[in-house]
């Protein structure tokens, strides 16, 4: 990882804060574990703090936590904005004294370690792979148009993000996030107009809805890692308190996809309540 000198971070209302990794290793990004007194086979999940509206605004954090829940794997959540993996991102996990970054790699490692791989035939595995790549590619970036690029002030607000900061600061944070995400979105989707990007999203969502059909989950009566990917990407946006193409599509037309999201929320997140 990048070498970091004594360079503290300042957060209004919180003061000067140093990530634990810098204190212990002198580096911001490293493979060094943070949970030194770990329990065998306990998964320590490092992710962004919860939002008032969804368990996590990050589709990848929500994907991993949901996977841990559907597979009944014991885990502990460590929330924060500052601690990052060796790749500089969240989520990451620590398992038996080893750091594992990246949601896809995390799930692959968990499948092997806990012997809980989904029981899918080869054709279903191929469909699952295609869905996963679509979600992480065009779907992820098309969602960001309404979720963040056009509504940065709402997305970053304390009411939605949970950031313990005044509005004028969250507005600036939102503007910066919108600029960065807008560049990433254009990097994937090119010079499509806003309406064309929304059509890309609608087609992606319709494809998932058609695959679900009358089934309870993507491949039948038992949820899989693919359901966790779908739930992470869709639920982390659908339940936000402002209108978007995604939420309108689910409410108006895509009843199979909406049903899957609502079933997974009710069954695997019984503590999840809407803000009053």
């Amino acid at each position: 990882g990048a070498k970091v000198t004594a360079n503290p971070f300042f957060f209004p209302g919180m003061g000067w804060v140093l990530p634990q990794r810098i204190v212990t290793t002198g580096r911001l990004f490293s493979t060094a574990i943070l949970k030194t007194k770990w329990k065998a086979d306990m998964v320590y999940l490092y992710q962004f703090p919860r939002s008032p509206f969804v368990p996590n605004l990050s589709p990848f954090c929500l994907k991993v936590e949901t996977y841990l829940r559907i597979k009944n794997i014991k885990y502990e959540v460590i929330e924060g904005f500052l601690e990052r993996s060796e790749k500089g991102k969240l989520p990451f996990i620590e398992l038996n004294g080893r750091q594992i970054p990246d949601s896809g790699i995390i799930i692959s490692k968990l499948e092997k370690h806990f012997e809980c791989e989904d029981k899918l035939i080869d054709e279903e595995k191929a469909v699952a792979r295609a869905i996963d790549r679509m979600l992480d590619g065009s779907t992820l970036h098309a969602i960001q148009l309404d979720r963040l690029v056009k509504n940065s002030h709402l997305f970053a607000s304390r009411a939605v993000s949970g950031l313990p900061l005044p509005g004028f600061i969250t507005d600036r944070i939102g503007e910066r996030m919108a600029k960065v995400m807008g560049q990433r979105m254009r990097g994937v989707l090119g010079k499509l107009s806003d309406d064309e990007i929304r059509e890309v999203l609608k087609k992606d969502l319709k494809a998932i809805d058609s695959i679900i059909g009358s089934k309870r989950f993507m491949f039948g009566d038992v949820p899989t890692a693919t359901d966790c990917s779908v739930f992470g990407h869709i639920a982390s946006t659908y339940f936000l308190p402002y209108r978007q193409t995604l939420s309108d599509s689910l409410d108006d037309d895509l009843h199979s996809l909406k049903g899957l999201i609502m079933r997974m929320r009710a069954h695997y997140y019984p503590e999840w309540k809407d803000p009053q």
Side-chain angles (χ1 to χ4, degrees):
K3 181 70 176 178
V4 179
T5 55
N7 182 25
F9 295 69
F10 182 76
F11 288 81
M14 298 169 64
W16 294 95
V17 180
L18 273 172
Q20 181 185 341
R21 199 180 298 285
I22 292 181
V23 175
T24 56
T25 71
R27 294 176 180 270
L28 184 56
F29 309 140
S30 122
T31 59
I33 64 167
L34 299 173
K35 193 76 172 181
T36 55
K37 296 182 179 179
W38 47 267
K39 297 178 182 178
D41 286 345
M42 171 70 76
V43 173
Y44 298 96
L45 172 61
Y46 292 81
Q47 62 179 8
F48 294 106
R50 302 224 183 273
S51 159
F53 288 91
V54 293
N56 214 286
L57 288 172
S58 162
F60 302 106
C61 292
L62 186 54
K63 167 185 172 180
V64 171
E65 184 168 7
T66 304
Y67 184 80
L68 292 167
R69 291 189 178 209
I70 73 167
K71 297 297 184 179
N72 293 312
I73 297 172
K74 293 181 180 180
Y75 73 99
E76 178 183 317
V77 170
I78 297 93
E79 296 182 345
F81 292 101
L82 300 180
E83 306 296 352
R84 300 299 175 100
S85 72
E86 61 171 311
K87 300 182 185 297
K89 295 183 178 182
L90 289 172
F92 67 92
I93 68 169
E94 291 178 350
L95 175 62
N96 293 340
R98 293 186 59 193
Q99 179 196 119
I100 305 172
D102 186 272
S103 63
I105 295 175
I106 289 170
I107 288 177
S108 179
K109 296 289 188 182
L110 292 174
E111 285 177 340
K112 292 180 175 62
H113 183 79
F114 291 101
E115 299 181 347
C116 59
E117 187 173 2
D118 297 320
K119 303 294 190 295
L120 301 177
I121 63 174
D122 288 345
E123 181 180 349
E124 291 171 330
K125 290 179 181 179
V127 172
R129 177 65 177 173
I131 294 171
D132 193 61
R133 292 302 83 206
M134 180 184 74
L135 286 168
D136 288 357
S138 63
T139 312
L140 168 68
H141 292 90
I143 283 174
Q144 300 306 325
L145 179 65
D146 289 339
R147 167 181 157 100
L148 177 54
V149 176
K150 297 295 184 181
N151 290 292
S152 61
H153 63 294
L154 296 174
F155 181 83
S157 68
R158 184 169 188 168
V160 173
S161 69
L163 282 168
L165 303 171
F168 74 92
I169 294 179
T170 59
D171 284 349
R172 293 295 298 274
I173 292 173
E175 290 171 5
R176 174 61 181 165
M177 293 172 67
K179 181 178 179 180
V180 171
M181 187 53 68
Q183 292 171 343
R184 292 179 183 173
M185 181 183 73
R186 297 297 176 185
V188 172
L189 300 175
K191 296 182 179 180
L192 298 181
S193 68
D194 290 354
D195 286 342
E196 289 168 337
I197 290 174
R198 292 186 176 103
E199 282 303 312
V200 168
L201 175 59
K202 289 178 182 178
K203 289 180 179 179
D204 285 0
L205 297 175
K206 176 60 177 175
I208 299 170
D209 186 80
S210 296
I211 292 171
I212 299 168
S214 60
K215 301 189 294 294
R216 285 181 53 79
F217 300 103
M218 294 297 299
F219 299 108
D221 292 330
V222 179
T224 64
T226 305
D227 293 277
C228 298
S229 294
V230 171
F231 185 73
H233 282 282
I234 307 306
S236 61
T237 292
Y238 176 76
F239 294 103
L240 298 184
Y242 49 92
R243 287 190 63 180
Q244 303 177 65
T245 299
L246 182 147
S247 54
D248 287 348
S249 296
L250 265 64
D251 288 342
D252 296 342
D253 303 308
L254 307 179
H255 303 302
S256 295
L257 178 52
K258 181 178 178 180
L260 182 146
I261 299 306
M262 300 305 291
R263 279 192 293 277
M264 292 194 71
R265 170 178 171 167
H267 189 77
Y268 294 106
Y269 290 89
E271 79 282 11
W272 180 354
K273 308 298 181 185
D274 292 326
Q276 298 299 317

